[in-house]
Amino acid sequence: MLLSEMQSLLDGWLEPWRYKDYAPNGLQVEGRAEVAKVLTGVTASQALIDAAAARGADAILVHHGYFWKGEDARVCGMKKQRIRTLLQHDISLLAYHLPLDGHLSLGNNAQLGQVLGLEPVGQAGEQGLLWHGDWRGGGAAQAFASHVSAALGRDAQLLGRGDKPVRKVAWCTGGAQGFFADAIALGVDAFITGEASEQNYHMAIECDVAFIAAGHHATERFGIQALGQHLAQFSGINVEFIDVLNPV
């Protein structure tokens, strides 16, 4: 498949033009024109690029790419090394940030909901990135946090009352701790995201809504895998997911 054809497919599925984002979506670094093997991962780290080079990949497809708003535009240090490795091996880099968070079936929020057994009811918040729905498993916040930990394979941090009954849940993957107030306004019992900020503890206590920080990387592993699998099934391209471990 041509690189241009693959990008057209991805753009058509994810509709990046619908989002006001913090980095360019789609093709970020151009490599060879023909694509037969794609490596997917959460972040375009040096470790992922090295893995792609070792496996003879033609392109890398990630959630977290480069050229973020407000970052130093100079190609120096870590950025230089990453881009140099891509160019030396003629590997393309494609990244989809908010479009991959928000997609209704392949997205991070949709996939996390499936992994945790949540039943989506709707989307709210900025650009519809805050999902909310029902938890049918029953029990209190501590048991629910343990369920999240088991499903994601890492210890989730619970802020708030452990005996709080949980039925209504809101979630947004990654670094969405700023959405906690919006989640509280929805009348949920618990909110799940990747990271916690200092003020989230006080909000959880004073508003009596459980806050579960389940890991930025851990909550965003599933969308890119679903997207890669969809690409492979549709195009016949060889797609491999590499999980470069990250405790954050």
Side-chain angles (χ1 to χ4, degrees):
M1 172 176 280
L2 292 174
L3 174 64
S4 58
E5 293 173 338
M6 188 177 78
Q7 182 179 3
S8 293
L9 279 178
L10 294 167
D11 284 350
W13 293 334
L14 298 176
E15 301 178 319
W17 52 84
R18 295 179 52 236
Y19 296 86
K20 183 179 179 182
D21 214 334
Y22 315 105
N25 288 293
L27 184 63
Q28 293 188 337
V29 178
E30 184 177 356
R32 59 183 66 98
E34 294 277 352
V35 178
K37 182 174 178 60
V38 176
L39 210 67
T40 65
V42 177
T43 299
S45 64
Q46 188 66 48
L48 186 67
I49 298 169
D50 290 342
R55 286 164 169 78
D58 304 299
I60 298 172
L61 175 61
V62 297
H63 179 48
H64 300 136
Y66 302 158
F67 313 115
W68 297 95
K69 181 179 179 181
E71 78 172 23
D72 191 336
R74 294 174 295 176
V75 182
C76 303
M78 181 180 73
K79 184 189 292 185
K80 171 197 170 184
Q81 180 59 37
R82 289 177 171 184
I83 294 176
R84 179 169 63 181
T85 308
L86 289 169
L87 295 177
Q88 283 178 337
H89 294 275
D90 209 13
I91 298 172
S92 297
L93 173 64
L94 299 97
Y96 292 89
H97 185 229
L98 296 185
L100 186 58
D101 286 324
H103 194 275
L104 295 181
S105 60
L106 302 173
N108 285 321
N109 285 324
Q111 291 294 315
L112 181 64
Q114 289 184 29
V115 168
L116 297 181
L118 302 173
E119 299 179 15
V121 172
Q123 295 82 45
E126 181 183 348
Q127 303 189 74
L129 294 171
L130 177 64
W131 285 45
H132 58 104
D134 299 322
W135 163 243
R136 303 295 189 186
Q142 187 60 65
F144 182 61
S146 296
H147 164 71
V148 173
S149 297
L152 301 187
R154 75 182 307 277
D155 290 334
Q157 183 181 25
L158 171 63
L159 307 179
R161 184 161 58 93
D163 61 352
K164 166 80 175 182
V166 174
R167 290 179 294 274
K168 302 292 184 181
V169 179
W171 67 97
C172 184
T173 65
Q177 57 267 52
F179 283 0
F180 193 24
D182 294 323
I184 292 169
L186 290 172
V188 300
D189 304 304
F191 172 62
I192 306 168
T193 189
E195 304 176 24
S197 294
E198 188 273 344
Q199 66 269 21
N200 297 139
Y201 171 77
H202 303 291
M203 296 170 70
I205 294 295
E206 295 173 31
C207 298
D208 196 25
V209 176
F211 183 106
I212 298 173
H216 194 134
H217 176 87
T219 58
E220 296 197 322
R221 287 175 297 174
F222 306 107
I224 196 66
Q225 292 182 69
L227 179 62
Q229 291 167 4
H230 189 64
L231 176 63
Q233 292 167 1
F234 188 88
S235 67
I237 289 176
N238 181 359
V239 180
E240 180 183 2
F241 172 72
I242 298 292
D243 191 10
V244 178
L245 297 179
N246 187 332
V248 176

